[in-house]
Amino acid sequence: MKENMTLANGTTIPTPGFGTYKICGEGARDIFRTALAVGYRHLDTASFYENEADIAAAIKDSGIYRSDLFLTSKVWKDEMGYYSTKDAIDRSLNRLATDYLDLYLVHWPRRDLELATWQEHLVYTWYAMEEKMRDGAIRAIGVSNFLPHHIDVLYEHGNFEPTVNQIEYHPGYIQEETVQYCKAKNILVEAWAPLGRAKVFDQPAIAAAAAKHGVSPAQICLRFAYQNGILPLPKASSKERMAENTDFFSFTLDADEMAAIAGMPRAGWTGLHPDRPRETVTD
């Protein structure tokens, strides 16, 4: 990739990353091999994705040194808790055929939406991650899908501060309050679904910027995130789309374009929220 970002603990992280959610089963290894051949060196996975072993196989086939890669995984809701998180980390390390992870995240803040003691489960999950980081099995720790009040729990009880918050972020759903909170805390925001499920491509602000710069709507979405200091994690299955999704460094959106995109109506939201059941959305 052409750029790196730097976490609060000094760890460098290649930009963009390659999102791997729902890439599993037949054909997954070929997709990961292609992504590595295109030039991706940052792969974002999770135990929930059930593709860690396929990623390991693709890395082995690529011949790329482990030290040249950035691997992220996550602890799933039903793995939360002190001992179960430590076991989950060991399983991810085994499936990924590596002795360390560059970044490990709490996938969602609440083990169960109905669980009154969710904070306790979160804190003990965090303690397990801190211990694994001290032991050298993890280089950096962070969170995913957290709002400010979830992160506050870790600041109150944790020994290490989160370095990353991976959230749904794209034109039409920019979660400004959470982004500004993270920036104030020196937490890098990563964007999953940075293309808004392609639901935003026909929005006037996106279409106009794409036409002006002679690039695709997807590249506009990725550049918008990048200019806001956010690391995008696009995913794709074709070599052409993978390459296109790395090529957003050669142009710059001006202030008016950034404002127009930021002011778009809600579009492309998945309906997922960390404190509520999933909503059905049509935009």
Side-chain angles (χ1 to χ4, degrees):
M1 298 297 100
K2 298 181 180 179
E3 299 286 342
N4 286 322
M5 291 183 172
T6 304
L7 302 182
N9 70 350
T11 300
T12 58
I13 180 167
T15 307
F18 186 72
T20 69
Y21 179 47
K22 290 188 176 181
I23 303 176
C24 60
E26 185 177 357
R29 294 185 187 187
D30 288 338
I31 292 173
F32 299 140
R33 290 188 194 101
T34 301
L36 291 167
V38 165
Y40 287 92
R41 295 296 180 265
H42 171 186
L43 303 180
D44 179 86
T45 184
S47 62
F48 182 71
Y49 299 172
E50 297 184 346
N51 59 19
E52 291 170 317
D54 289 321
I55 289 172
I59 291 171
K60 182 179 180 180
D61 292 344
S62 75
I64 298 169
Y65 290 118
R66 172 66 182 90
S67 57
D68 292 331
L69 295 169
F70 192 100
L71 297 180
T72 299
S73 194
K74 311 177 191 75
V75 58
W76 185 241
K77 297 174 185 179
D78 62 9
E79 298 170 320
M80 292 177 72
Y82 181 75
Y83 292 107
S84 53
T85 295
K86 291 176 70 175
D87 289 343
I89 293 168
D90 289 340
R91 288 193 297 270
S92 285
L93 290 168
N94 182 62
R95 289 189 292 258
L96 285 164
T98 183
D99 56 4
Y100 72 96
L101 291 164
D102 296 280
L103 179 63
Y104 196 72
L105 309 178
V106 186
H107 209 145
W108 289 90
R110 293 176 178 266
R111 179 174 180 146
D112 186 316
L113 291 179
E114 304 302 321
L115 188 65
T117 58
W118 67 269
Q119 295 98 327
E120 180 179 344
H121 284 82
L122 172 58
V123 169
Y124 280 106
T125 297
W126 194 250
Y127 288 162
M129 291 164 59
E130 291 179 332
E131 183 173 325
K132 284 291 190 177
M133 187 170 66
R134 291 190 195 97
D135 292 343
I138 301 170
R139 296 177 64 205
I141 55 178
V143 298
S144 178
N145 301 299
F146 275 50
L147 301 177
H149 66 277
H150 303 128
I151 300 175
D152 285 341
V153 174
L154 300 179
Y155 276 100
E156 182 178 355
H157 299 285
N159 300 297
F160 291 92
E161 299 175 355
T163 58
V164 164
N165 186 15
Q166 186 180 122
I167 61 174
E168 180 177 358
Y169 178 95
H170 51 77
Y173 194 69
I174 60 174
Q175 300 205 63
E176 187 65 15
E177 179 182 353
T178 297
V179 169
Q180 292 308 316
Y181 171 97
C182 290
K183 288 184 176 181
K185 299 285 192 181
N186 202 20
I187 298 171
L188 176 67
V189 175
E190 293 182 338
W192 64 263
L195 308 183
R197 299 181 298 136
K199 295 281 189 177
V200 303
F201 288 178
D202 292 331
Q203 291 287 325
I206 300 295
K212 175 182 174 181
H213 295 280
V215 298
S216 70
Q219 288 168 299
I220 295 298
C221 293
L222 297 170
R223 183 68 196 187
F224 174 75
Y226 180 73
Q227 281 187 220
N228 278 322
I230 292 167
L231 191 156
L233 299 166
K235 67 176 184 177
S237 56
S238 74
K239 182 177 181 179
E240 292 73 24
R241 288 287 181 262
M242 291 179 193
E244 178 183 285
N245 289 345
T246 70
D247 184 16
F248 55 86
F249 300 105
S250 60
F251 66 97
T252 301
L253 298 171
D254 64 32
D256 289 340
E257 290 169 321
M258 291 291 288
I261 295 171
M264 282 172 40
R266 195 186 80 178
W269 179 41
T270 61
L272 291 169
H273 191 284
D275 291 328
R276 300 195 298 266
R278 185 169 189 168
E279 296 182 25
T280 301
V281 293
T282 58
D283 51 27

